[in-house]
Amino acid sequence: NDSKAGVVEATANVAEAKMQRWLKDGGAENLTGPAYKHDRHKDAATALGVGDTYRSIKILADNNIRPLSVERWMEVDKLWRELKMEIQQDWMERGRPPLGAYVLNAENKFRARIDDLDRKAKATNSAAISDGLKFGGSSPVKHVAPFKLETRIREALLEVN
């Protein structure tokens, strides 16, 4: 039976305290010198076999250039967040009716914008496939789910308390 089981040595406490302070002060982010001036993600990308793809995307990112799929994804995401808030607000203003009744009443109000988002989602997914082929099979964005009226209204209202 080990009589020291569960006992932490004083030197370990000191070392742990120093490590915690170092991490709190920025840790590796504050290291200087040529040995520390490297991209921390490059080694992981190389190990995963996507080093060339990573380099291509890194060059674009370092120059503030976004692939088309990223631009389109950002637009769809912004428009959906705005529409989702509008759906939630409209539902609350109508007295929080049952979902089925709300969808029937809201169809005329939101149908055109949902259909527009669906077209934009398809264009985003096409651009993601194209960009994936350009970047070695790895798309810079995930595919966007289709925009179907009832499904998206349900999604928006599930987030309301």
Side-chain angles (χ1 to χ4, degrees):
N1 195 5
D2 187 3
S3 63
K4 290 189 175 189
V7 176
V8 178
E9 297 292 327
T11 54
N13 286 338
V14 171
E16 182 65 27
K18 284 184 177 184
M19 288 172 56
Q20 290 297 326
R21 187 175 65 236
W22 180 70
L23 289 170
K24 182 180 160 199
D25 292 341
E29 300 299 324
N30 294 328
L31 296 177
T32 59
Y36 302 105
K37 298 289 184 195
H38 74 284
D39 185 344
R40 293 181 294 145
H41 303 293
K42 181 180 177 184
D43 296 333
T46 302
L48 294 171
V50 292
D52 292 337
T53 301
Y54 176 76
R55 273 191 294 282
S56 301
I57 293 173
K58 177 104 174 85
I59 289 168
L60 292 173
D62 288 349
N63 290 291
N64 294 321
I65 299 170
R66 294 184 186 115
L68 181 59
S69 61
V70 174
E71 291 288 339
R72 287 184 177 172
W73 185 90
M74 291 172 65
E75 178 188 12
V76 168
D77 184 59
K78 177 183 175 284
L79 293 171
W80 171 232
R81 281 186 282 122
E82 291 169 356
L83 180 57
K84 188 169 28 174
M85 287 191 314
E86 190 176 325
I87 291 169
Q88 293 166 349
Q89 185 66 37
D90 183 65
W91 180 72
M92 288 187 281
E93 287 172 0
R94 291 181 188 217
R96 298 176 178 238
L99 184 63
Y102 179 72
V103 170
L104 289 175
N105 291 326
E107 183 170 1
N108 291 334
K109 185 171 186 172
F110 300 115
R111 169 67 67 192
R113 289 171 63 194
I114 290 283
D115 289 346
D116 184 52
L117 276 168
D118 192 53
R119 282 189 292 279
K120 290 179 187 292
K122 288 175 183 174
T124 300
N125 292 339
S126 293
I129 292 167
S130 177
D131 287 347
L133 293 172
K134 291 175 192 171
F135 297 112
S138 177
S139 174
V141 297
K142 60 184 179 181
H143 277 34
V144 180
F147 280 83
K148 303 298 176 207
L149 183 76
E150 186 174 345
T151 304
R152 289 301 183 140
I153 287 178
R154 284 181 187 277
E155 179 183 335
L157 297 182
L158 282 174
E159 294 179 10
V160 178
N161 293 329

